[in-house]
Amino acid sequence: MATDVLIIGAGPIGLETAASLQAGGLTVACVDAGPIGGTIFSLFPPATRFFSSPERIAIAGVDLQVPAQEKASREEYLAYLRAVVHSLDLPVHTYEEVIDAREQNSLWEVTTRNRAGQPTTWTANHVVLAIGGTHRTRNLGIEGENLPHVDRHLGEPHRFFQRKIVIVGGKNSAAEAALRCWRVGADVTIVHRGDKLHERVKYWIRPEVEALIDEGRIKTRFNATVQSIKEDGVVVHNASGLETIPCQDVLLMIGYEQDPGLLDLFGVEREGEQSAPVHDPVTMQTNRKGIFVAGTAVAGTQQRFRTYIENAHVHAGRIRAAILGTEAPVETPPRSLPEA
Ligand SMILES: Cc1cc2nc3c(=O)[nH]c(=O)nc-3n(C[C@H](O)[C@H](O)[C@H](O)COP(=O)(O)OP(=O)(O)OC[C@H]3O[C@@H](n4cnc5c(N)ncnc54)[C@H](O)[C@@H]3O)c2cc1C
């Protein structure tokens, strides 16, 4: 299948880039290894609300209306993305994972594989890597972390009703998981290497979790590191030595990493502490001619989230200008964003 631009990743910024390029008269195809909005679909637990307000995560000029005038939930945003694809008639191909790429005479040949294992070959003059930066969870590198009762995603909290659960981590996802698990009737212990919850835990989550901790309803082991995970408990090391916290389930909420495999496949170099793809911030073109990056993919593995949807909208316009050879778009400076 031939197209001017192949966009890899149908997350919000991949879709927004597709919309912008299509509006500029280019033919585009947007492929994703999973459904549209795959990161939001798989990493946000059900009913999670964005921390960004609706107008800041709306894409391609399509209004995002939320019935309660609150921050959008995971489900509202996924429905919104479906509506954007429909209304702008974006050519999206879901469950097409990119597995190979090669270049010949400035034309890229990219192979995807669908769920049934069948390959499709795409040819494109330009490729946009809008692949995100949260492909896999970090590991602790300790014994027992792959036992069957250890999860890396909260998922549906209902499953923790009347369960003893240890949550490892002290940032947003750990704090929110602790709150939601406690609310469904779990016996929750947070284990965190810091001496308190991380200072950037969202202001609407922190007071409630801290109140529950103060009241002893959520238990904590701060200044504690996990040594190993057993079938019936988590072994932690703290000032008083080794302690086993009995539990039935363990949630590791310790962050995500970018899988650099696709960047390597396209010959995109990486740099810096976050191993971010090398690119020109004006055009978003990488060190490989014709290969662009967009969205959170540009930041590599983020230790603290500084690149999100709301400050990545500009990537779409920059790529469009670079490909069409038009003047770079006028950008309003982003408001100063908190790190997450
Ligand atoms: C709990 C939580 C809350 C968040 N809240 C906010 C918020 O309030 N505001 C905000 O701006 N951000 C928030 N984020 C971050 C937000 O999810 C990202 O900023 C956003 O998803 C980035 O969009 P993107 O289009 O750049 O990439 P992504 O949404 O990550 O999309 C990348 C896509 O690329 C696809 N892909 C990857 N590899 C391949 C391959 N080999 N072949 C084909 N497809 C591939 C993936 O399947 C995925 O669908 C939050 C994240 C989490 C986990």
Side-chain angles (χ1 to χ4, degrees):
M1 300 227 246
T3 180
D4 291 331
V5 189
L6 181 70
I7 296 159
I8 305 176
I13 303 303
L15 294 175
E16 186 157 46
T17 305
S20 174
L21 297 178
Q22 185 167 268
L26 294 159
T27 58
V28 296
C30 186
V31 294
D32 199 294
I36 64 165
T39 297
I40 292 141
F41 175 79
S42 56
L43 298 192
F44 285 44
T48 300
R49 288 198 180 276
F50 277 80
F51 58 78
S52 304
S53 42
E55 66 280 7
R56 296 183 189 280
I57 53 172
I59 58 170
V62 180
D63 198 17
L64 166 57
Q65 284 290 332
V66 179
Q69 298 82 47
E70 284 187 359
K71 312 261 166 113
S73 68
R74 165 188 182 272
E75 289 71 17
E76 285 163 344
Y77 196 65
L78 290 176
Y80 166 76
L81 292 182
R82 297 196 295 273
V84 170
V85 170
H86 263 310
S87 56
L88 300 181
D89 202 14
L90 300 180
V92 168
H93 305 265
T94 55
Y95 295 96
E96 290 285 347
E97 184 186 7
V98 173
I99 52 165
D100 198 15
R102 58 197 68 212
E103 189 225 328
Q104 224 176 10
N105 304 325
S106 300
L107 198 67
W108 283 89
E109 204 176 274
V110 177
T111 307
T112 59
R113 186 176 49 201
N114 70 12
R115 293 186 83 191
Q118 294 166 314
T120 301
T121 301
W122 308 81
T123 51
N125 301 305
H126 311 275
V127 176
V128 179
L129 304 175
I131 56 173
T134 50
H135 303 117
R136 56 187 184 213
T137 48
R138 291 205 174 97
N139 284 321
L140 288 169
I142 57 162
E143 182 200 326
E145 71 179 315
N146 293 320
L147 283 169
H149 65 313
V150 180
D151 281 304
R152 283 157 165 90
H153 301 293
L154 170 61
E156 170 56 72
H158 172 77
R159 64 201 176 114
F160 297 115
F161 172 62
Q162 291 192 343
R163 304 279 294 174
K164 259 187 191 311
I165 175 168
V166 167
I167 297 175
V168 181
K171 292 188 175 175
N172 271 305
S173 55
E176 189 165 359
L179 188 57
R180 293 183 66 172
C181 289
W182 182 80
R183 282 191 184 141
V184 299
D187 174 331
V188 178
T189 305
I190 298 174
V191 174
H192 178 41
R193 59 187 175 180
D195 59 0
K196 54 180 182 322
L197 290 177
H198 196 274
E199 61 193 27
R200 289 192 178 84
V201 170
K202 303 295 175 240
Y203 64 83
W204 62 91
I205 296 173
R206 172 188 286 285
E208 202 167 348
V209 182
E210 285 182 344
L212 291 168
I213 291 173
D214 289 347
E215 292 163 8
R217 294 170 193 246
I218 289 180
K219 288 164 272 181
T220 56
R221 297 291 187 283
F222 287 133
N223 295 311
T225 50
V226 181
Q227 299 295 298
S228 62
I229 300 175
K230 310 283 183 206
E231 284 76 4
D232 56 357
V234 171
V235 182
V236 300
H237 183 260
N238 55 25
S240 32
L242 285 180
E243 176 195 2
T244 300
I245 307 169
C247 68
Q248 297 161 299
D249 302 295
V250 182
L251 257 184
L252 301 182
M253 310 299 282
I254 52 173
Y256 301 97
E257 294 174 340
Q258 185 177 60
D259 178 351
L262 212 57
L263 298 170
D264 294 344
L265 187 64
F266 283 90
V268 175
E269 289 166 13
R270 291 176 275 126
E271 64 182 357
E273 248 178 48
Q274 300 191 162
S275 196
V278 170
H279 66 281
D280 174 347
V282 176
T283 62
M284 306 309 288
Q285 186 161 221
T286 65
N287 59 291
R288 291 303 301 270
K289 192 164 173 286
I291 306 295
F292 297 80
V293 273
T296 47
V298 306
T301 292
Q302 301 192 60
Q303 307 298 332
R304 285 182 182 163
F305 285 95
R306 294 186 177 91
T307 306
Y308 344 116
I309 302 169
E310 47 174 309
N311 58 3
H313 298 297
V314 290
H315 300 168
R318 292 177 193 171
I319 293 171
R320 172 171 145 160
I323 292 178
L324 293 177
T326 54
E327 227 169 271
V330 179
E331 294 172 8
T332 35
R335 69 182 177 126
S336 136
L337 293 173
E339 295 164 0

